[in-house]
């Protein structure tokens, strides 16, 4: 910690003098009274902030934050009312939901080639703003119920004709490699971002093909950027109309947040 300046010391004395009975003499103060006042200030400011937040949310969205346990569930209700409940969309569950969940991959925290480094020099940590909203601004929802892909439909000619799909694929060859690969391998239940494949000594036959569950956007990226060769195993597809309301809703939320931050 840096040493206190004269201004810091004077501010501390002013704070103590503003608390009744906290200053005992010119050299001593009641630490417990000061700590109690400090904690009450924290709670008071948080309370005032939440009241302002709640009033604004009720005014802008007609939703009361007191009825929700987390900020995530509150934000989701905005999408329930503006996107999900109004556009012939269906909530999935059971086996379908379980299968689709395998196509959801968490964010990564890694250096190139997933190497570890020890450094003693200062680093700049550049982080992007609102990565999830940025993705939602480019996405869409699809009307209707998911349908099982039949064996004679397990081909790209059919899949490129539908609105969306989630499929299990077996990657048999990777023709382009990256320091930050799109391919994710499951190793002992852990996601490993590695696009190398085990092969024989002659580099010919693939011993362990990589299996992934991906949606249509992910598969298109794997084809375009990693030039994969693959087999389609199974999956679901949607042939309903695409709805882009989610893009307008996330833009509205993002801009509203900027307004309140100012």
């Amino acid at each position: 910690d840096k040493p206190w300046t004269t201004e810091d010391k004077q501010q501390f004395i002013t704070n103590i003098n503003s608390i009744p009975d906290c200053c005992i003499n010119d050299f001593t103060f009641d630490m417990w009274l000061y700590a109690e006042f400090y904690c009450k200030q924290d709670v008071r400011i948080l309370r005032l902030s939440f009241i302002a937040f709640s009033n604004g949310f009720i005014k802008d969205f007609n939703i009361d934050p007191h009825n929700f346990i987390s900020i995530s569930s509150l934000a989701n209700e905005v999408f329930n009312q503006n996107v999900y409940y109004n556009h012939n969309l269906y909530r999935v569950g059971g086996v379908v939901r379980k299968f689709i969940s395998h196509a959801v991959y968490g964010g990564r925290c890694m250096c190139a080639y997933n190497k570890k480094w020890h450094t003693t020099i200062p680093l700049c940590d550049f982080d992007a703003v609102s990565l999830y909203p940025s993705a939602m601004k480019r996405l869409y929802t699809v009307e209707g119920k998911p349908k099982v892909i039949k064996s004679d439909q397990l081909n790209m000619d059919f899949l490129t004709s539908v609105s969306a799909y989630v499929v299990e694929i077996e990657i048999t060859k990777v023709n382009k490699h990256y320091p930050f690969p799109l391919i994710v391998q499951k190793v002992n239940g852990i996601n490993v971002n590695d696009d190398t494949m085990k092969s024989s000594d002659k580099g010919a036959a693939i011993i362990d093909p990589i299996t992934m569950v991906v949606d249509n956007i992910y598969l298109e990226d794997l084809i375009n950027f990693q030039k994969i060769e693959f087999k389609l195993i199974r999956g679901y597809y949607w042939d309903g109309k695409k709805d882009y309301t989610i893009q307008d809703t996330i833009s509205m939320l993002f801009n509203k947040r900027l307004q309140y931050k100012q």
Side-chain angles (χ1 to χ4, degrees):
D1 294 338
K2 64 180 182 179
W4 278 28
T5 65
T6 302
E7 290 78 12
D8 292 334
K9 293 178 181 178
Q10 186 57 50
Q11 182 63 59
F12 184 66
I13 293 172
T14 301
N15 292 344
I16 290 174
N17 288 334
S18 68
I19 304 171
D21 302 322
C22 188
C23 183
I24 298 175
N25 54 51
D26 291 342
F27 304 99
T28 311
F29 74 101
D30 190 323
M31 183 186 71
W32 294 107
L33 272 178
Y34 183 80
E36 180 183 14
F37 175 82
Y38 192 92
C39 290
K40 285 182 177 179
Q41 284 289 85
D42 268 0
V43 175
R44 183 182 68 84
I45 294 171
L46 182 62
R47 178 177 179 272
L48 291 175
S49 300
F50 184 71
I51 290 173
F53 172 78
S54 298
N55 291 339
F57 220 90
I58 293 171
K59 175 184 175 182
D60 291 329
F61 303 106
N62 197 29
I63 300 174
D64 188 350
H66 292 86
N67 297 327
F68 298 86
I69 198 170
S70 68
I71 193 69
S72 299
S73 59
L74 177 61
N76 191 62
E77 182 61 22
V78 175
F79 287 92
N80 283 340
Q81 296 190 13
N82 290 274
V83 182
Y84 304 146
Y85 291 163
N86 305 319
H87 298 95
N88 194 29
L89 305 179
Y90 286 80
R91 177 176 293 174
V92 296
V95 174
V96 179
R97 183 182 184 277
K98 179 68 174 178
F99 180 81
I100 293 175
S101 69
H102 292 301
V104 179
Y105 297 91
R108 64 182 69 183
C109 183
M110 58 181 284
C111 296
Y113 302 105
N114 209 20
K115 289 185 177 180
K116 297 179 180 179
W117 299 87
H118 179 264
T119 178
T120 57
I121 62 174
L123 296 175
C124 292
D125 180 21
F126 294 107
D127 197 6
V129 174
S130 299
L131 288 176
Y132 284 115
S134 297
M136 295 166 75
K137 176 63 179 174
R138 296 163 172 79
L139 291 175
Y140 52 85
T141 54
V142 183
E143 294 185 354
K145 300 177 182 179
K147 302 176 181 178
V148 176
I149 301 175
K150 300 177 181 178
S151 57
D152 61 341
Q153 297 171 330
L154 284 170
N155 58 79
M156 293 308 296
D157 287 337
F158 172 76
L159 292 180
T160 52
S161 69
V162 301
S163 301
Y165 56 82
V166 176
V167 291
E168 183 178 6
I169 62 170
E170 183 182 275
I171 301 174
T172 55
K173 190 174 183 181
V174 181
N175 291 302
K176 188 170 179 59
H177 299 268
Y178 286 95
F180 293 87
L182 297 172
I183 293 173
V184 181
Q185 300 189 48
K186 286 280 188 180
V187 179
N188 297 324
I190 300 175
N191 288 345
V192 178
N193 299 100
D194 188 352
D195 59 7
T196 59
M197 301 182 68
K198 297 179 181 179
S199 60
S200 66
D201 294 337
K202 296 181 180 180
I206 298 297
I207 298 176
D208 293 320
I210 301 171
T211 300
M212 293 183 66
V213 178
V214 293
D215 62 11
N216 48 293
I217 297 175
Y218 205 142
L219 181 56
E220 290 169 7
D221 284 348
L222 287 170
I223 295 172
N224 292 332
F225 297 110
Q226 301 237 217
K227 310 299 181 184
I228 67 166
E229 297 176 22
F230 63 96
K231 297 177 182 177
L232 292 164
I233 301 174
R234 57 178 176 164
Y236 296 92
Y237 73 94
W238 289 258
D239 56 7
K241 185 180 72 174
K242 294 180 181 179
D243 186 273
Y244 297 90
T245 309
I246 193 171
Q247 298 182 3
D248 298 329
T249 301
I250 194 61
S251 293
M252 177 267 294
L253 269 179
F254 183 85
N255 292 329
K256 183 62 68 175
R257 185 180 69 167
L258 288 180
Q259 174 186 329
Y260 275 99
K261 286 175 71 175
Q262 291 174 357

